[in-house]
Amino acid sequence: MTTLLTPAEARTAVELLASRPLIRLITEIDDNGPIPPRRLASTLPDLSAHQLRRAGEAARTYHLVQAEPGANLELTASGAELADLYDATARWSRHHAYPAAVSEFSTRIGHVLDLLAPSLTNRHTDGLPRPAAPLLPSGEAELELARPRSLLLQWLAANPQVTQVPEAEPEPAA
């Protein structure tokens, strides 16, 4: 049985996983092997230094990549499983031309994760039952979306750290 998330947990996980810089980092390492940290900027020139730093920090924080001092960034088992999830999501998206016939890889993944987010919860943010999924291109698309959803739920169950909602900063005393 699958444990569904709160809306805040689902939002936190999807925002992290749909991050274009994180998608680019994980899939680059998956496709081409470990990257020397000093080569990140030349390996991913479409990302700013800030985006690379944030993606690298998030990937380390959530145990998606690892690197010993002086060693290359490489995927952990969780990072490799996330890369597989990204690939399955992108395949579904390409096959069903979602969100459009021509889309960038990371855009496809982000849109599919956004599409799946409501199905990860048992309640909508206002406490009412979650709304039905948006209309998909076909019944086949909806049926085949079950695979990326299942992979996502399995990955989230094995990596609960990505669903932890950050605590709100205390407001300064007046």
Side-chain angles (χ1 to χ4, degrees):
M1 177 153 176
T2 303
T3 302
L4 295 177
L5 307 174
T6 67
E9 289 169 335
R11 184 174 45 257
T12 297
V14 167
E15 284 176 4
L16 170 70
L17 299 179
S19 160
R20 182 178 176 274
L22 183 66
I23 293 168
R24 292 279 294 118
L25 177 63
I26 297 298
T27 57
E28 180 65 31
I29 296 171
D30 183 56
D31 291 345
N32 298 306
I35 301 173
R38 293 183 177 173
R39 301 277 312 168
L40 280 175
S42 62
T43 303
L44 300 167
D46 56 316
L47 301 178
S48 70
H50 176 73
Q51 289 173 317
L52 287 170
R53 188 172 38 261
R54 298 270 316 237
E57 288 170 2
R60 283 184 191 91
T61 298
Y62 296 107
H63 312 290
L64 305 174
V65 299
Q66 61 188 8
E68 298 298 322
N72 295 338
L73 281 176
E74 60 186 42
L75 294 178
T76 62
S78 291
E81 290 167 0
L82 179 59
D84 291 343
L85 169 64
Y86 284 160
D87 287 340
T89 301
R91 272 192 307 276
W92 179 90
S93 176
R94 274 191 305 274
H95 181 73
H96 296 288
Y98 186 87
V102 177
S103 294
E104 181 185 46
F105 183 79
S106 56
T107 300
R108 288 184 185 282
I109 293 168
H111 279 275
V112 174
L113 291 173
D114 286 341
L115 177 66
L116 290 171
S119 74
L120 303 176
T121 68
N122 59 358
R123 305 299 279 175
H124 195 54
T125 54
D126 58 7
L128 298 174
R130 62 183 155 87
L135 291 177
L136 294 174
S138 68
E140 175 190 3
E142 192 166 343
L143 287 174
E144 290 179 3
L145 188 58
R147 175 160 165 62
R149 181 181 185 274
S150 175
L151 290 172
L152 177 58
L153 286 169
Q154 289 171 18
W155 192 87
L156 290 171
N159 296 278
Q161 69 275 12
V162 302
T163 64
Q164 294 177 353
V165 179
E167 292 185 23
E169 293 290 321
E171 293 191 27

